[in-house]
Amino acid sequence: MGLVNDEYNNIGVNITIDLEDLLINPIVFKEEAIERSKMVGNIWQTLQAVNAIYECYVDAVVDVAKKEIKFKVRVISEEINLKLSDFELPKVKNDFTTINRAVCLDRAYEEGTGGSKVVYYLLNDDTVVLEADAPESKIIYPPRMKVFIDDDIAKAKAQGIQE
């Protein structure tokens, strides 16, 4: 366990980092994986990158009375596969279709010279509606999109709805 006291710890809080779990479950560090620099940055993004690369997580314990934060680095030792549908969430459906969102464009829109764009959603009750008419409770996640482009927007829309 180490105490962090450097030029960036100027808020009057003792910060300790507990690496004890790494003694039991060592990590092979990849020096080139994380860019090191002395600058203000987003610690959350850095921690998430480290966690993904080294298959670990950081447990933070805050003691306001003692003005102390303890970070414990833990190695992920067990993985559990979860399906959102196991939790009976209303936005989840076992969806075996290839797409559930169709983005329909004409060539002018694709080229950035005007034109039209229309988006259709396949809902969890198997209806197809325009994006603006899609009730949040019936949208299927994760989105699987396909883009349909034609010179005529009507043809692109027809292809998207059929798909």
Side-chain angles (χ1 to χ4, degrees):
M1 184 141 69
L3 185 63
V4 177
N5 282 322
D6 62 15
E7 65 220 66
Y8 299 107
N9 185 13
N10 58 9
I11 58 174
V13 175
N14 289 325
I15 300 172
T16 57
I17 300 173
D18 180 351
L19 301 174
E20 186 177 319
D21 197 37
L22 299 182
L23 298 174
I24 301 165
N25 303 300
I27 291 175
V28 178
F29 287 98
K30 304 169 189 146
E31 287 295 322
E32 70 282 357
I34 301 294
E35 180 183 348
R36 298 174 188 265
S37 62
K38 287 191 174 187
M39 59 182 252
V40 175
N42 186 326
I43 190 67
W44 179 252
Q45 288 178 347
T46 303
L47 284 174
Q48 291 296 60
V50 169
N51 289 342
I53 292 167
Y54 299 117
E55 296 181 345
C56 60
Y57 64 97
V58 178
D59 197 12
V61 179
V62 178
D63 188 332
V64 177
K66 293 181 181 178
K67 292 186 176 182
E68 185 175 79
I69 303 173
K70 291 181 183 177
F71 294 101
K72 296 181 180 186
V73 179
R74 303 285 187 225
V75 176
I76 296 172
S77 58
E78 183 179 352
E79 291 184 18
I80 300 172
N81 292 324
L82 299 174
K83 293 187 309 187
L84 291 176
S85 59
D86 292 342
F87 298 96
E88 299 178 15
L89 296 175
K91 295 181 185 178
V92 176
K93 177 183 176 183
N94 290 331
D95 180 26
F96 300 103
T97 58
T98 55
I99 67 162
N100 53 33
R101 296 189 191 167
V103 179
C104 308
L105 315 170
D106 62 15
R107 297 247 184 256
Y109 189 91
E110 180 191 29
E111 296 168 356
T113 60
S116 299
K117 171 186 166 189
V118 179
V119 179
Y120 291 99
Y121 281 50
L122 173 66
L123 302 178
N124 62 13
D125 63 357
D126 292 327
T127 58
V128 176
V129 298
L130 288 168
E131 181 178 36
D133 299 331
E136 186 69 24
S137 62
K138 292 188 176 189
I139 294 174
I140 298 172
Y141 293 96
R144 293 187 202 127
M145 295 189 224
K146 186 173 179 181
V147 178
F148 299 88
I149 303 169
D150 198 287
D151 292 328
D152 182 5
I153 189 65
K155 289 181 183 176
K157 288 168 42 177
Q159 292 169 358
I161 292 170
Q162 289 172 15
E163 183 83 16

